[in-house]
Amino acid sequence: MNQVPPPAVGIDLGTTFSAVARLDDLGRPETLINAEGDKTTPSVVLVDGNEVVIGKEAVKAMATDMIAIAECAKRDLGHRMFHKQLGGRQYPPEALQGWILNKLRLDSQAQIGDYSKVVVTVPAYFDEVRRKATQDAGYIAGFEVMDIINEPTAAAVAFGFQQGYMQPDGSTPKEKKILVYDLGGGTFDVTVMQIGGREFVALATDGDVRLGGRDWDQRLVDYVAEDFIRKFSLDPREEPNTLGRLLRECEDAKRTLSARKKTTIACDYQGHSMRCDVSRDQFHQMTQDLLDRTAFTTRQTLKAANLTWDDIDRILLVGGSTRMPAVSEMLEKLSGKAPDRSVSPDEAVAHGAALHASLLLSRFAGQSPAFRIKNVNSHSLGVVATDRETKRPRTAVLIPRNTPLPCAAKRIFKTQKANQRSILVQIVEGESGSPEDCSQVGKCSVRDLPAGLPAQTPIEVRFHYAANGRLTVIVRVEGTETELKHEITRENSLSQQQLNSWREYVSQVPPTAK
Ligand code: AMP
């Protein structure tokens, strides 16, 4: 009997919306519809006693059950716990993300049958800790995460496919340099890529993991709330359900302002009602600094790639927030070029992930892949060293940011005393010279150095970034071949045992339609 090959499935796990895509029988990406009949699922979780509700129904509950709602859990990845309790209990953000992925898995399996292998996307600017947390969320949801891929890279792959860069006849259109500007619900990424000869090469990447459409919503919430305070000396933001309602109203108003020049936002609190008119110009003014931050990062990225706007063939818009007219206006002013809207901002990332999944599946099956992706690391990798002069801790960079991946670097540490049996290396990611301002990847400890080593024995620690930005470490006594056993302790990461129990728990408490 012929075995049916597993479907190539890619998941865009967004801060505010998520999407699943697979390749159809002709190898074209298609977005799968969720149980509610929509192409995207709000990344919102309601924990209501023993019931967990994900998506549209959870969003509706924002007006009544805000204290039991987790939204934007993706922003908390890399922290031990989600920033607020839900029903009196704390949850790691991986578990909340795991629940969202579990709903996406169940809904899509209802259409395409059982599968477990997936590719999940992450913002290019995610550090190593957040990348691991995303893979862990996939594990909790019952998936086998074959790989994680950067969102702008995925969008560029989808664009490349659409533009005919992966023609089966092997022909390739002319090489192009594209700038992917990806403004989603909670994160901002900008990546400069070169596409050509079936190769997708990231030249530079930058971003902000705490900047997205949600911040634009918050500005409207604050604007309405301040008007309310002026009129009634009451702040509607202080009551969670009123805030939840206002957030929904403001997100809606923001969308309206992408299509119309003005809108009205209603706000009711403690028996008082108010209608607040907002024009598109006013909205632009109150959010100008947020847009300026993206413009600054865009210019920096172009510079890091050693390019000017003349070198850029296309500016690709990805992420729902690029529908705000101010975004394309700003980019056009900056570059003198009209941005490209040829890929669907909501679907391109999931489509690219599905294409990448098919590439991996064909590689596993021993076939040659249809295209290649080359990325760069988005943060410098370093270890904590002691400054010789000041004797204070400082970051010693081993792999600077924007280095092509995969890559490796080694550092020699010397034992301090004779017969020293252990060493500890603290690994960080970031651009700051002071380690406490960097992201703490973890502590690498070697506990069983061979006995009898003299003082000053060189110990070689080799750091390796895989193509997807995940880190592995190899430790040896310099000049020997034997790898020494070591352990990386991650402060804000779940242990394998915790992951297993969350995986079991999430499978027992599946998301329900309320
Ligand atoms: P994504 O993470 O790419 O799904 O983007 C979701 C974000 O896009 C959310 O913050 C939405 O509010 C925002 N968004 C979606 N449609 C529009 C629109 N028409 N105008 C402005 N923002 C939008």
Side-chain angles (χ1 to χ4, degrees):
M1 209 169 68
N2 273 348
Q3 270 213 317
V4 183
V9 180
I11 301 184
D12 170 9
L13 180 60
T15 313
T16 49
F17 289 92
S18 296
V20 185
R22 66 133 177 203
L23 294 199
D24 67 13
D25 294 344
L26 296 173
R28 293 171 310 200
E30 70 170 344
T31 310
L32 297 174
I33 306 290
N34 66 12
E36 293 75 41
D38 300 321
K39 282 186 171 178
T40 58
T41 302
S43 307
V44 179
V45 182
L46 165 71
V47 182
D48 185 8
N50 286 330
E51 202 181 31
V52 173
V53 183
I54 313 287
K56 205 180 199 173
E57 292 303 319
V59 172
K60 280 190 202 159
M62 281 171 72
T64 50
D65 278 329
M66 194 60 186
I67 56 163
I69 294 234
E71 33 136 28
C72 298
K74 181 171 171 178
R75 280 191 164 180
D76 283 14
L77 286 177
H79 293 267
R80 217 164 60 77
M81 288 293 166
F82 183 61
H83 64 270
K84 86 178 195 199
Q85 291 199 348
L86 305 168
R89 186 171 172 186
Q90 279 206 303
Y91 291 88
E94 293 93 321
L96 300 168
Q97 295 288 84
W99 256 309
I100 297 166
L101 286 170
N102 193 41
K103 170 179 167 62
L104 301 177
R105 180 175 67 79
L106 294 170
D107 287 5
S108 53
Q109 283 180 346
Q111 281 176 74
I112 63 171
D114 271 3
Y115 70 93
S116 64
K117 291 186 163 69
V118 286
V119 165
V120 182
T121 62
V122 289
Y125 205 58
F126 253 21
D127 56 27
E128 212 270 344
V129 177
R130 291 180 169 99
R131 284 170 193 265
K132 178 180 186 311
T134 304
Q135 284 181 318
D136 288 348
Y139 178 80
I140 288 173
F143 281 130
E144 185 187 324
V145 181
M146 294 189 286
D147 205 359
I148 44 175
I149 172 179
N150 290 347
E151 286 158 14
T153 306
V157 168
F159 170 76
F161 178 85
Q162 200 173 293
Q163 298 279 313
Y165 275 79
M166 292 163 220
Q167 296 292 347
D169 63 7
S171 63
T172 47
K174 195 177 145 280
E175 184 179 278
K176 277 200 178 99
K177 290 200 177 61
I178 63 171
L179 182 136
V180 186
Y181 176 102
D182 179 357
L183 187 60
T187 55
F188 170 63
D189 267 337
V190 53
T191 298
V192 179
M193 295 208 75
Q194 184 172 296
I195 318 183
R198 291 163 177 249
E199 265 197 351
F200 293 77
V201 184
L203 302 177
T205 193
D206 204 339
D208 192 332
V209 288
R210 299 192 79 83
L211 180 64
R214 181 67 172 71
D215 300 290
W216 270 256
D217 303 345
Q218 190 63 43
R219 288 292 164 85
L220 276 177
V221 167
D222 293 340
Y223 181 78
V224 176
E226 275 151 28
D227 206 11
F228 204 93
I229 294 170
R230 268 193 298 277
K231 288 202 170 90
F232 306 111
S233 301
L234 277 171
D235 188 344
R237 290 168 298 192
E238 62 197 13
E239 200 277 309
N241 291 339
T242 312
L243 175 62
R245 245 187 333 263
L246 191 54
L247 258 171
R248 275 188 69 187
E249 287 272 346
C250 288
E251 202 254 354
D252 214 36
K254 176 185 72 174
R255 289 176 189 248
T256 304
L257 287 172
S258 294
R260 298 184 50 194
K261 288 277 168 76
K262 60 180 190 332
T263 189
T264 304
I265 303 168
C267 181
D268 306 307
Y269 182 47
Q270 291 200 358
H272 300 283
S273 295
M274 190 192 81
R275 289 166 67 79
C276 181
D277 294 328
V278 189
S279 71
R280 190 188 280 175
D281 284 346
Q282 282 170 316
F283 179 54
H284 284 178
Q285 269 168 27
M286 67 180 90
T287 53
Q288 187 62 47
D289 60 312
L290 301 175
L291 196 65
D292 289 347
R293 273 164 66 188
T294 73
F296 178 78
T297 308
T298 305
R299 280 199 299 264
Q300 293 288 102
T301 316
L302 202 57
K303 215 161 128 196
N306 281 323
L307 298 175
T308 65
W309 286 113
D310 286 342
D311 302 312
I312 299 293
D313 297 293
R314 298 227 189 185
I315 301 167
L316 204 61
L317 295 183
V318 185
S321 300
T322 58
R323 291 205 178 89
M324 291 187 290
V327 168
S328 13
E329 282 162 22
M330 177 276 286
L331 285 168
E332 191 156 356
K333 227 186 208 163
L334 209 60
S335 65
K337 297 170 205 249
D340 189 303
R341 295 193 169 274
S342 59
V343 296
S344 154
D346 304 317
E347 296 171 273
V349 171
H351 285 189
L355 286 159
H356 182 52
S358 90
L359 176 150
L360 294 176
L361 290 172
S362 54
R363 196 181 284 160
F364 295 160
Q367 296 150 2
S368 64
F371 60 100
R372 259 163 60 104
I373 295 172
K374 288 189 189 163
N375 263 318
V376 291
N377 61 330
S378 51
H379 301 269
S380 299
L381 178 86
V383 291
V384 180
T386 307
D387 192 285
R388 278 211 193 115
E389 277 168 24
T390 62
K391 303 280 177 258
R392 299 194 30 193
R394 66 171 179 87
T395 315
V397 171
L398 298 179
I399 304 177
R401 65 189 296 195
N402 285 328
T403 303
L405 298 175
C407 64
K410 71 172 181 185
R411 189 174 171 97
I412 306 291
F413 294 85
K414 290 197 173 148
T415 54
Q416 305 271 305
K417 45 185 199 237
N419 201 29
Q420 182 174 327
R421 299 304 303 274
S422 64
I423 56 164
L424 187 71
V425 180
Q426 209 173 324
I427 311 166
V428 294
E429 270 190 339
E431 311 315 310
S432 169
S434 91
E436 63 264 36
D437 295 332
C438 292
S439 149
Q440 308 297 315
V441 176
K443 291 191 176 89
C444 172
S445 59
V446 186
R447 279 179 228 273
D448 55 355
L449 287 178
L453 292 176
Q456 300 295 309
T457 301
I459 308 293
E460 177 189 304
V461 183
R462 194 175 276 272
F463 301 87
H464 178 261
Y465 265 133
N468 62 13
R470 288 299 318 278
L471 182 74
T472 46
V473 178
I474 294 170
V475 187
R476 290 192 182 112
V477 175
E478 201 189 19
T480 66
E481 281 306 304
T482 326
E483 251 183 62
L484 298 175
K485 254 209 237 140
H486 65 275
E487 195 186 348
I488 300 183
T489 325
R490 295 161 171 275
E491 250 168 61
N492 292 330
S493 202
L494 298 176
S495 67
Q496 191 56 46
Q497 202 181 357
Q498 288 169 317
L499 286 174
N500 289 343
S501 53
W502 276 111
R503 182 169 162 125
E504 198 178 323
Y505 187 64
V506 165
S507 72
Q508 280 166 4
V509 189
T512 47
K514 238 189 149 185

PDB file of all heavy atoms in Angstrom, residues 139-157:
ATOM      1  N   TYR A 139       5.760  21.927  21.047  1.00  0.00           N
ATOM      2  CA  TYR A 139       5.832  20.601  21.681  1.00  0.00           C
ATOM      3  C   TYR A 139       4.625  20.410  22.608  1.00  0.00           C
ATOM      4  O   TYR A 139       3.971  19.368  22.603  1.00  0.00           O
ATOM      5  CB  TYR A 139       7.145  20.481  22.459  1.00  0.00           C
ATOM      6  CG  TYR A 139       7.296  19.171  23.181  1.00  0.00           C
ATOM      7  CD1 TYR A 139       7.702  18.025  22.499  1.00  0.00           C
ATOM      8  CD2 TYR A 139       7.006  19.072  24.541  1.00  0.00           C
ATOM      9  CE1 TYR A 139       7.825  16.808  23.160  1.00  0.00           C
ATOM     10  CE2 TYR A 139       7.123  17.857  25.206  1.00  0.00           C
ATOM     11  CZ  TYR A 139       7.537  16.732  24.506  1.00  0.00           C
ATOM     12  OH  TYR A 139       7.633  15.528  25.158  1.00  0.00           O
ATOM     13  N   ILE A 140       4.328  21.448  23.397  1.00  0.00           N
ATOM     14  CA  ILE A 140       3.193  21.371  24.326  1.00  0.00           C
ATOM     15  C   ILE A 140       1.899  21.088  23.563  1.00  0.00           C
ATOM     16  O   ILE A 140       1.039  20.350  24.016  1.00  0.00           O
ATOM     17  CB  ILE A 140       3.092  22.688  25.149  1.00  0.00           C
ATOM     18  CG1 ILE A 140       4.240  22.737  26.158  1.00  0.00           C
ATOM     19  CG2 ILE A 140       1.737  22.814  25.850  1.00  0.00           C
ATOM     20  CD1 ILE A 140       4.364  24.041  26.918  1.00  0.00           C
ATOM     21  N   ALA A 141       1.795  21.646  22.356  1.00  0.00           N
ATOM     22  CA  ALA A 141       0.569  21.476  21.559  1.00  0.00           C
ATOM     23  C   ALA A 141       0.505  20.113  20.873  1.00  0.00           C
ATOM     24  O   ALA A 141      -0.459  19.816  20.177  1.00  0.00           O
ATOM     25  CB  ALA A 141       0.496  22.590  20.511  1.00  0.00           C
ATOM     26  N   GLY A 142       1.536  19.298  21.065  1.00  0.00           N
ATOM     27  CA  GLY A 142       1.501  17.967  20.454  1.00  0.00           C
ATOM     28  C   GLY A 142       2.116  17.919  19.068  1.00  0.00           C
ATOM     29  O   GLY A 142       1.943  16.947  18.342  1.00  0.00           O
ATOM     30  N   PHE A 143       2.828  18.979  18.695  1.00  0.00           N
ATOM     31  CA  PHE A 143       3.462  19.003  17.372  1.00  0.00           C
ATOM     32  C   PHE A 143       4.890  18.498  17.454  1.00  0.00           C
ATOM     33  O   PHE A 143       5.528  18.538  18.512  1.00  0.00           O
ATOM     34  CB  PHE A 143       3.532  20.437  16.841  1.00  0.00           C
ATOM     35  CG  PHE A 143       2.246  20.945  16.262  1.00  0.00           C
ATOM     36  CD1 PHE A 143       1.732  22.180  16.651  1.00  0.00           C
ATOM     37  CD2 PHE A 143       1.568  20.225  15.291  1.00  0.00           C
ATOM     38  CE1 PHE A 143       0.567  22.673  16.104  1.00  0.00           C
ATOM     39  CE2 PHE A 143       0.392  20.714  14.737  1.00  0.00           C
ATOM     40  CZ  PHE A 143      -0.108  21.934  15.153  1.00  0.00           C
ATOM     41  N   GLU A 144       5.397  18.113  16.293  1.00  0.00           N
ATOM     42  CA  GLU A 144       6.832  17.912  16.153  1.00  0.00           C
ATOM     43  C   GLU A 144       7.301  19.104  15.319  1.00  0.00           C
ATOM     44  O   GLU A 144       6.991  19.183  14.121  1.00  0.00           O
ATOM     45  CB  GLU A 144       7.079  16.604  15.412  1.00  0.00           C
ATOM     46  CG  GLU A 144       8.528  16.243  15.322  1.00  0.00           C
ATOM     47  CD  GLU A 144       8.724  15.016  14.423  1.00  0.00           C
ATOM     48  OE1 GLU A 144       7.859  14.108  14.433  1.00  0.00           O
ATOM     49  OE2 GLU A 144       9.709  15.007  13.707  1.00  0.00           O
ATOM     50  N   VAL A 145       7.944  20.050  15.969  1.00  0.00           N
ATOM     51  CA  VAL A 145       8.347  21.271  15.257  1.00  0.00           C
ATOM     52  C   VAL A 145       9.636  20.964  14.476  1.00  0.00           C
ATOM     53  O   VAL A 145      10.707  20.845  15.057  1.00  0.00           O
ATOM     54  CB  VAL A 145       8.553  22.456  16.230  1.00  0.00           C
ATOM     55  CG1 VAL A 145       8.954  23.717  15.472  1.00  0.00           C
ATOM     56  CG2 VAL A 145       7.286  22.714  17.038  1.00  0.00           C
ATOM     57  N   MET A 146       9.486  20.825  13.151  1.00  0.00           N
ATOM     58  CA  MET A 146      10.662  20.481  12.330  1.00  0.00           C
ATOM     59  C   MET A 146      11.645  21.629  12.324  1.00  0.00           C
ATOM     60  O   MET A 146      12.848  21.442  12.292  1.00  0.00           O
ATOM     61  CB  MET A 146      10.235  20.216  10.882  1.00  0.00           C
ATOM     62  CG  MET A 146       9.374  19.002  10.687  1.00  0.00           C
ATOM     63  SD  MET A 146       9.188  18.688   8.921  1.00  0.00           S
ATOM     64  CE  MET A 146       8.062  19.984   8.434  1.00  0.00           C
ATOM     65  N   ASP A 147      11.103  22.842  12.321  1.00  0.00           N
ATOM     66  CA  ASP A 147      11.978  24.012  12.270  1.00  0.00           C
ATOM     67  C   ASP A 147      11.178  25.251  12.635  1.00  0.00           C
ATOM     68  O   ASP A 147       9.945  25.256  12.578  1.00  0.00           O
ATOM     69  CB  ASP A 147      12.551  24.178  10.853  1.00  0.00           C
ATOM     70  CG  ASP A 147      13.875  24.943  10.846  1.00  0.00           C
ATOM     71  OD1 ASP A 147      14.327  25.350  11.939  1.00  0.00           O
ATOM     72  OD2 ASP A 147      14.450  25.133   9.770  1.00  0.00           O
ATOM     73  N   ILE A 148      11.910  26.291  13.012  1.00  0.00           N
ATOM     74  CA  ILE A 148      11.293  27.603  13.129  1.00  0.00           C
ATOM     75  C   ILE A 148      11.911  28.461  12.027  1.00  0.00           C
ATOM     76  O   ILE A 148      13.055  28.243  11.644  1.00  0.00           O
ATOM     77  CB  ILE A 148      11.530  28.237  14.522  1.00  0.00           C
ATOM     78  CG1 ILE A 148      12.983  28.066  14.962  1.00  0.00           C
ATOM     79  CG2 ILE A 148      10.583  27.704  15.546  1.00  0.00           C
ATOM     80  CD1 ILE A 148      13.330  28.744  16.255  1.00  0.00           C
ATOM     81  N   ILE A 149      11.151  29.391  11.500  1.00  0.00           N
ATOM     82  CA  ILE A 149      11.657  30.225  10.398  1.00  0.00           C
ATOM     83  C   ILE A 149      11.235  31.667  10.669  1.00  0.00           C
ATOM     84  O   ILE A 149      10.150  31.914  11.229  1.00  0.00           O
ATOM     85  CB  ILE A 149      11.145  29.705   9.024  1.00  0.00           C
ATOM     86  CG1 ILE A 149      11.501  30.654   7.881  1.00  0.00           C
ATOM     87  CG2 ILE A 149       9.707  29.389   9.019  1.00  0.00           C
ATOM     88  CD1 ILE A 149      11.059  30.189   6.488  1.00  0.00           C
ATOM     89  N   ASN A 150      12.103  32.589  10.310  1.00  0.00           N
ATOM     90  CA  ASN A 150      11.800  34.003  10.566  1.00  0.00           C
ATOM     91  C   ASN A 150      10.620  34.471   9.721  1.00  0.00           C
ATOM     92  O   ASN A 150      10.529  34.137   8.530  1.00  0.00           O
ATOM     93  CB  ASN A 150      13.019  34.867  10.246  1.00  0.00           C
ATOM     94  CG  ASN A 150      14.139  34.650  11.239  1.00  0.00           C
ATOM     95  OD1 ASN A 150      13.935  34.047  12.296  1.00  0.00           O
ATOM     96  ND2 ASN A 150      15.317  35.137  10.923  1.00  0.00           N
ATOM     97  N   GLU A 151       9.754  35.258  10.336  1.00  0.00           N
ATOM     98  CA  GLU A 151       8.543  35.711   9.635  1.00  0.00           C
ATOM     99  C   GLU A 151       8.851  36.468   8.336  1.00  0.00           C
ATOM    100  O   GLU A 151       8.273  36.149   7.293  1.00  0.00           O
ATOM    101  CB  GLU A 151       7.670  36.542  10.589  1.00  0.00           C
ATOM    102  CG  GLU A 151       6.979  35.643  11.617  1.00  0.00           C
ATOM    103  CD  GLU A 151       6.538  36.342  12.883  1.00  0.00           C
ATOM    104  OE1 GLU A 151       6.515  37.583  12.911  1.00  0.00           O
ATOM    105  OE2 GLU A 151       6.214  35.640  13.856  1.00  0.00           O
ATOM    106  N   PRO A 152       9.761  37.458   8.347  1.00  0.00           N
ATOM    107  CA  PRO A 152      10.020  38.167   7.081  1.00  0.00           C
ATOM    108  C   PRO A 152      10.613  37.246   6.013  1.00  0.00           C
ATOM    109  O   PRO A 152      10.315  37.409   4.828  1.00  0.00           O
ATOM    110  CB  PRO A 152      11.033  39.245   7.454  1.00  0.00           C
ATOM    111  CG  PRO A 152      11.171  39.222   8.912  1.00  0.00           C
ATOM    112  CD  PRO A 152      10.513  38.017   9.468  1.00  0.00           C
ATOM    113  N   THR A 153      11.413  36.270   6.453  1.00  0.00           N
ATOM    114  CA  THR A 153      11.977  35.331   5.477  1.00  0.00           C
ATOM    115  C   THR A 153      10.844  34.512   4.866  1.00  0.00           C
ATOM    116  O   THR A 153      10.803  34.295   3.650  1.00  0.00           O
ATOM    117  CB  THR A 153      13.001  34.390   6.162  1.00  0.00           C
ATOM    118  OG1 THR A 153      13.965  35.200   6.821  1.00  0.00           O
ATOM    119  CG2 THR A 153      13.679  33.484   5.173  1.00  0.00           C
ATOM    120  N   ALA A 154       9.922  34.056   5.729  1.00  0.00           N
ATOM    121  CA  ALA A 154       8.782  33.280   5.233  1.00  0.00           C
ATOM    122  C   ALA A 154       7.980  34.106   4.230  1.00  0.00           C
ATOM    123  O   ALA A 154       7.589  33.603   3.166  1.00  0.00           O
ATOM    124  CB  ALA A 154       7.900  32.854   6.404  1.00  0.00           C
ATOM    125  N   ALA A 155       7.768  35.381   4.550  1.00  0.00           N
ATOM    126  CA  ALA A 155       7.000  36.239   3.632  1.00  0.00           C
ATOM    127  C   ALA A 155       7.739  36.377   2.307  1.00  0.00           C
ATOM    128  O   ALA A 155       7.121  36.346   1.234  1.00  0.00           O
ATOM    129  CB  ALA A 155       6.792  37.608   4.272  1.00  0.00           C
ATOM    130  N   ALA A 156       9.076  36.500   2.372  1.00  0.00           N
ATOM    131  CA  ALA A 156       9.855  36.638   1.143  1.00  0.00           C
ATOM    132  C   ALA A 156       9.778  35.361   0.314  1.00  0.00           C
ATOM    133  O   ALA A 156       9.695  35.416  -0.922  1.00  0.00           O
ATOM    134  CB  ALA A 156      11.309  36.962   1.480  1.00  0.00           C
ATOM    135  N   VAL A 157       9.752  34.210   0.988  1.00  0.00           N
ATOM    136  CA  VAL A 157       9.636  32.932   0.269  1.00  0.00           C
ATOM    137  C   VAL A 157       8.282  32.865  -0.442  1.00  0.00           C
ATOM    138  O   VAL A 157       8.197  32.469  -1.612  1.00  0.00           O
ATOM    139  CB  VAL A 157       9.823  31.742   1.256  1.00  0.00           C
ATOM    140  CG1 VAL A 157       9.427  30.433   0.605  1.00  0.00           C
ATOM    141  CG2 VAL A 157      11.271  31.678   1.743  1.00  0.00           C
TER     142      VAL A 157
END
